[in-house]
Amino acid sequence: DLDKEAVKELVAAGAKSATHLFNAMQPIHQHNPSIAGAALESDIYTEIICDGLHLHPGIVRLVIKTKGDDRVIGVTDSIMAAGLKDGQYKLGVNDVIVTDGDAKLVSDGTRAGSTLTMDRAIRNIMKFTGRDLAQSIGFLTKNPATLLGIEDSKGEISIGKDGDLVILDNNYEVVSTIVEG
């Protein structure tokens, strides 16, 4: 595990984002902030898995409050079982069992990715934070595009951008998608 000073060196060397904040990381401790603490303190982006399993809703709120709206990216960490019923699946060569949407390795019960879809992620972010769609959507659209340096063509609806759209119904479930307008 890396300590806070090592993370500072990584950021100075060009690291721009912390993947899956808090997951497979040492917990924050008052004497050892760990990778998570260093990521929260720095200006890098932080990815959060908003399935309600990887992170408690209170931690989602804390990360957003700490990092601000422009430095948080909502991700799914989905495996092949995303959107499918509970059952047995594979993650590479590993056997995975999904129960109540929670994917775990058969071998030792370790969480093994998620079954989260992006439409569920946005519903969860809104539910966890009390924010509306307009206040939440940037975590899944604009922020990732900015991190990847493709904000000139992706990340929001605007003249001159690609016109990649997801149409949601009143329950924020996917109705259809449009690629390049």
Side-chain angles (χ1 to χ4, degrees):
D1 193 35
L2 299 171
D3 64 13
K4 183 178 171 191
E5 293 307 312
V7 172
K8 282 185 178 179
E9 290 177 23
L10 290 170
V11 171
K16 299 196 180 320
S17 183
T19 303
H20 305 170
L21 190 66
F22 289 108
N23 290 277
M25 297 179 183
Q26 288 182 342
I28 292 177
H29 184 275
Q30 71 267 24
H31 299 294
N32 178 16
S34 75
I35 293 172
L40 287 171
E41 183 182 9
S42 75
D43 290 332
I44 66 172
Y45 289 85
T46 54
E47 293 181 6
I48 55 175
I49 304 167
C50 296
D51 61 359
L53 301 168
H54 282 80
L55 298 176
H56 184 278
I59 295 298
V60 170
R61 291 188 297 273
L62 176 66
V63 170
I64 292 170
K65 185 174 185 176
T66 302
K67 296 301 293 183
D69 290 354
D70 296 334
R71 292 290 179 191
V72 176
I73 296 175
V75 297
T76 64
D77 193 30
S78 290
I79 63 170
M80 67 181 295
L84 301 177
K85 63 182 181 176
D86 288 355
Q88 294 194 6
Y89 297 91
K90 287 280 193 186
L91 178 59
V93 298
N94 297 299
D95 292 319
V96 173
I97 185 79
V98 175
T99 306
D100 297 326
D102 193 4
K104 294 186 177 179
L105 294 177
V106 170
S107 61
D108 65 4
T110 300
R111 186 157 285 126
S114 83
T115 63
L116 185 65
T117 57
M118 279 297 199
D119 60 325
R120 276 191 20 239
I122 196 63
R123 289 192 302 272
N124 286 345
I125 290 170
M126 292 186 302
K127 178 181 174 185
F128 297 168
T129 66
R131 294 165 173 242
D132 64 21
L133 182 64
Q135 296 168 314
S136 303
I137 197 67
F139 300 129
L140 307 180
T141 57
K142 186 176 182 183
N143 295 354
T146 302
L147 170 65
L148 294 172
I150 57 174
E151 68 273 15
D152 290 343
S153 61
K154 307 275 185 198
E156 60 188 349
I157 302 169
S158 181
I159 294 172
K161 297 207 177 185
D162 286 349
D164 298 335
L165 306 171
V166 176
I167 310 301
L168 303 174
D169 65 17
N170 290 335
N171 295 317
Y172 306 104
E173 296 194 25
V174 176
V175 172
S176 64
T177 59
I178 301 170
V179 178
E180 295 183 355

